[in-house]
Amino acid sequence: MFLINCPYCGERDQSEFSSGGEAHIERPKQPTELSDDEWADFLFMRKNIKGVQFERWNHSHGCRKWFNLIRDTSNDKIHGIYKMGEKPPKV
Amino acid sequence: MKNKYSIFSLFKNAFSGHENWQRAWRDPEPKKEYDAIIVGGGGHGLATAYYLAKKHNMRNIAVVEKGWIGGGNTGRNTTIIRSNYLWDASAGLYDHALKIWEGLSQDLNYNVMFSQRGVMNLAHNLQDVRDLKRRTHANRLNGIDAVWLNTDEVKKFCPIVNTSPNIRYPVLGGTLQRRAGTARHDAVAWGYARGADELGVDIIQNCEVKGIKRNGNKIEGIETTRGFIKSKKIGVVAAGHSSVIASMVDIRLPLESKPLQALVSEPVKPIIDTVVMSNAVHAYVSQSDKGELVIGAGTDSYVSYSQKGSHDVVEGTLKAILELYPIFSRMKMLRQWGGIVDICPDASPIISKTNIEGLYFNCGWGTGGFKATPGSGDLFAHTIANDEPHKLNAAFSLNRFVSGDLVDEHGAAAVAH
């Protein structure tokens, strides 16, 4: 349970947001050339880090916009927020 | 040789004020080398060690545990045991476990208080009715007991359920597995620890794994807070922390770790003599032998290792509990906790070899691993000892995420495991 500072709406309770999981997983540029292993890697395998992790979140009960969050998963402290398409700030 | 627990040993120790009970397991220093090391001293890890020693005659083995025995999710879950899963692979896996549960107390000489009080799953909408009826048929085709109950039969089986048609999610019926039930979670950990210890397994507590050493594609041992321990076989049963261990050998697993919450009420006289689960509204409840209501809430939607869950998750569950059981409206909750569970995309576990020789993973049990403890240990022990899976866990390999043969229990299992 924590507060998230939505880049569009300001600080709101986490329950207004939906987690979109690990950020910066790029869809393969040439999907037809991918092996089964590479597809499995893209679709299913996750870093699932205990510590600082880059994530996508959606303000689903607010402005409904997506953005990125840098969060320490061991204590839920947030270290940075940036919009989609922006470069992640240094942590 | 351990003294057997019996009515006579109880009498004998009662006369000496219960001060001379034999220690249930030793506290050994780690040896330099073992034939196999199990990482994680929860129920699944201890069961693995027990069956490795008992059925595969591997006696020079160790279980390393970061904390203490019974201090993790094994000792704080809602203790529900059932095997009414939809798919053949899951039915085989979970019913294998249920069959071991039925004789476990005798096998371990430790009362795990396995109680086949039945598990009832409620349906609240037409799709629930169709899904649950389909599951009942699938269960029976797999030789698993299951019956469909209409609303009146639900009320008869558990009179405190609110079956009024005027509630937001009315009860339209339910399924019942009579062989299902609960067990005492601590006793499962302690019983397996005692049993494994008797067979020569070293249970090393307060020993955190810091690294895994490998030579090329072969495992050589583990770096721990109590020094380096050599072994050619390592079985990782680290639940929510599986990805952390996997990252030590640069493996990514298809897992996300999330807090799962449960709570217990103040103790009251016997009021509910079965387990009632409701997936649509996410509420499930049973009563412990101490009299506390044991209530399972859901997981948070985000990855977290914080062992704290969100308040809105508990609030949602309690709202559903109150609508289904108005009789509980004035009860106080005694305590609440969040455990970290590792969830697979298809909500089925992984009991598997890896691409590294001698490294095995047993993980992904998500929100419902307790029920499978004996079966999981038995099948993982088989996988480690023979370096290949048993036919019952062949479908639960890591490779299923590459081949696409997922065992998709997300919609099919009772969502709340």
Side-chain angles (χ1 to χ4, degrees):
Chain A
M1 196 156 101
F2 45 87
L3 296 174
I4 295 176
N5 194 4
C6 171
Y8 305 96
C9 312
E11 202 165 58
R12 301 289 170 87
D13 192 277
Q14 170 268 315
S15 61
E16 286 190 16
F17 298 81
S18 310
S19 169
E22 195 178 314
H24 305 299
I25 300 176
E26 250 182 77
R27 187 172 169 82
K29 291 210 167 59
Q30 274 131 347
T32 49
E33 287 164 28
L34 242 52
S35 68
D36 287 354
D37 276 312
E38 287 165 328
W39 269 121
D41 211 48
F42 166 70
L43 283 172
F44 298 122
M45 303 304 166
R46 294 291 177 264
K47 289 181 191 153
N48 196 23
I49 294 168
K50 183 180 186 178
V52 175
Q53 169 163 293
F54 293 73
E55 302 172 330
R56 294 174 308 169
W57 283 76
N58 181 260
H59 193 181
S60 47
H61 297 288
C63 64
R64 299 171 67 191
K65 287 200 174 84
W66 285 92
F67 57 92
N68 292 306
L69 197 64
I70 308 170
R71 187 172 58 95
D72 188 335
T73 60
S74 64
N75 55 20
D76 292 336
K77 283 212 174 98
I78 294 171
H79 292 289
I81 290 180
Y82 54 103
K83 291 180 182 170
M84 285 292 169
E86 287 179 1
K87 275 203 172 151
K90 284 216 168 92
V91 185
Chain B
M1 189 62 193
K2 285 209 168 37
N3 296 332
K4 211 170 150 48
Y5 290 156
S6 67
I7 186 83
F8 304 109
S9 70
L10 196 59
F11 275 131
K12 199 178 119 197
N13 283 285
F15 283 117
S16 55
H18 292 297
E19 284 181 353
N20 299 317
W21 283 103
Q22 190 185 20
R23 206 187 163 113
W25 58 87
R26 296 164 292 130
D27 185 20
E29 280 300 312
K31 290 188 214 163
K32 283 206 167 61
E33 182 171 2
Y34 290 97
D35 294 338
I37 298 175
I38 305 300
V39 177
H44 290 234
L46 293 164
T48 305
Y50 175 75
Y51 293 115
L52 268 176
K54 193 177 176 194
K55 291 174 79 170
H56 305 282
N57 212 25
M58 288 177 71
R59 300 295 167 100
N60 184 32
I61 56 179
V63 177
V64 295
E65 163 58 42
K66 180 169 74 171
W68 66 96
I69 299 304
N73 292 351
T74 303
R76 33 182 134 161
N77 60 76
T78 49
T79 77
I80 297 166
I81 295 163
R82 60 183 183 88
S83 64
N84 54 353
Y85 280 71
L86 177 71
W87 301 112
D88 294 352
S90 321
L93 177 68
Y94 290 103
D95 210 50
H96 177 63
L98 184 48
K99 283 178 187 137
I100 304 177
W101 277 114
E102 286 172 334
L104 191 62
S105 291
Q106 286 72 24
D107 181 37
L108 292 176
N109 177 228
Y110 204 105
N111 187 3
V112 299
M113 296 163 75
F114 179 51
S115 159
Q116 291 176 298
R117 56 184 66 185
V119 169
M120 186 162 67
N121 291 98
L122 300 180
H124 297 279
N125 52 53
L126 283 177
Q127 191 57 45
D128 269 3
V129 172
R130 292 186 198 113
D131 285 347
L132 288 180
K133 278 189 176 168
R134 178 192 179 202
R135 184 145 66 85
T136 315
H137 297 313
N139 290 157
R140 287 160 78 159
L141 287 170
N142 276 316
I144 293 168
D145 68 305
V147 286
W148 169 258
L149 307 179
N150 63 29
T151 308
D152 291 340
E153 289 165 331
V154 166
K155 184 79 179 167
K156 203 173 159 205
F157 187 70
C158 185
I160 60 169
V161 175
N162 181 5
T163 51
S164 157
N166 299 323
I167 61 176
R168 175 66 181 84
Y169 297 101
V171 176
L172 302 183
T175 65
L176 174 63
Q177 184 182 19
R178 287 183 195 277
R179 282 165 65 231
T182 58
R184 171 75 203 252
H185 46 14
D186 304 306
V188 176
W190 298 334
Y192 272 121
R194 177 171 173 267
D197 181 84
E198 183 168 9
L199 296 168
V201 175
D202 280 357
I203 297 169
I204 304 159
Q205 301 175 76
N206 302 310
C207 180
E208 184 179 349
V209 174
K210 290 291 190 188
I212 297 176
K213 197 175 167 199
R214 62 170 164 170
N215 185 1
N217 206 33
K218 283 185 183 166
I219 286 295
E220 290 203 324
I222 49 170
E223 287 291 350
T224 74
T225 46
R226 294 175 69 171
F228 179 73
I229 313 174
K230 221 170 139 183
S231 181
K232 290 195 175 88
K233 288 190 175 198
I234 299 194
V236 181
V237 205
H241 282 69
S242 298
S243 298
V244 177
I245 305 276
S247 71
M248 294 171 185
V249 281
D250 302 321
I251 292 180
R252 289 200 304 164
L253 295 170
L255 297 176
E256 287 195 314
S257 296
K258 295 174 176 180
L260 172 71
Q261 293 182 85
L263 47 162
V264 294
S265 72
E266 57 189 332
V268 289
K269 286 185 177 176
I271 182 72
I272 178 165
D273 62 355
T274 184
V275 183
V276 185
M277 309 179 76
S278 174
N279 305 324
V281 297
H282 208 297
Y284 52 105
V285 63
S286 63
Q287 192 172 17
S288 74
D289 291 347
K290 282 186 283 184
E292 303 149 329
L293 296 180
V294 184
I295 294 169
T299 56
D300 281 315
S301 64
Y302 51 88
V303 169
S304 179
Y305 291 84
S306 66
Q307 292 188 301
K308 290 181 286 194
S310 301
H311 185 68
D312 56 298
V313 173
V314 170
E315 200 181 9
T317 289
L318 288 179
K319 275 182 194 163
I321 290 279
L322 289 187
E323 187 167 76
L324 276 176
Y325 311 93
I327 193 177
F328 295 152
S329 65
R330 278 166 294 161
M331 284 188 72
K332 293 185 175 69
M333 290 299 134
L334 202 62
R335 58 182 188 276
Q336 162 275 353
W337 63 94
I340 304 306
V341 297
D342 45 332
I343 301 174
C344 267
D346 59 355
S348 285
I350 296 165
I351 311 174
S352 180
K353 294 167 68 170
T354 63
N355 292 331
I356 299 171
E357 202 177 308
L359 183 66
Y360 308 85
F361 268 91
N362 183 352
C363 57
W365 289 94
T367 57
F370 177 75
K371 68 172 80 66
T373 305
S376 156
D378 185 35
L379 299 172
F380 196 42
H382 180 101
T383 308
I384 293 173
N386 299 301
D387 196 36
E388 61 175 40
H390 187 278
K391 68 176 183 345
L392 286 175
N393 67 308
F396 298 95
S397 71
L398 257 174
N399 199 50
R400 75 175 187 267
F401 296 97
V402 177
S403 67
D405 297 322
L406 303 186
V407 188
D408 186 7
E409 288 288 354
H410 243 311
V415 175
H417 276 257

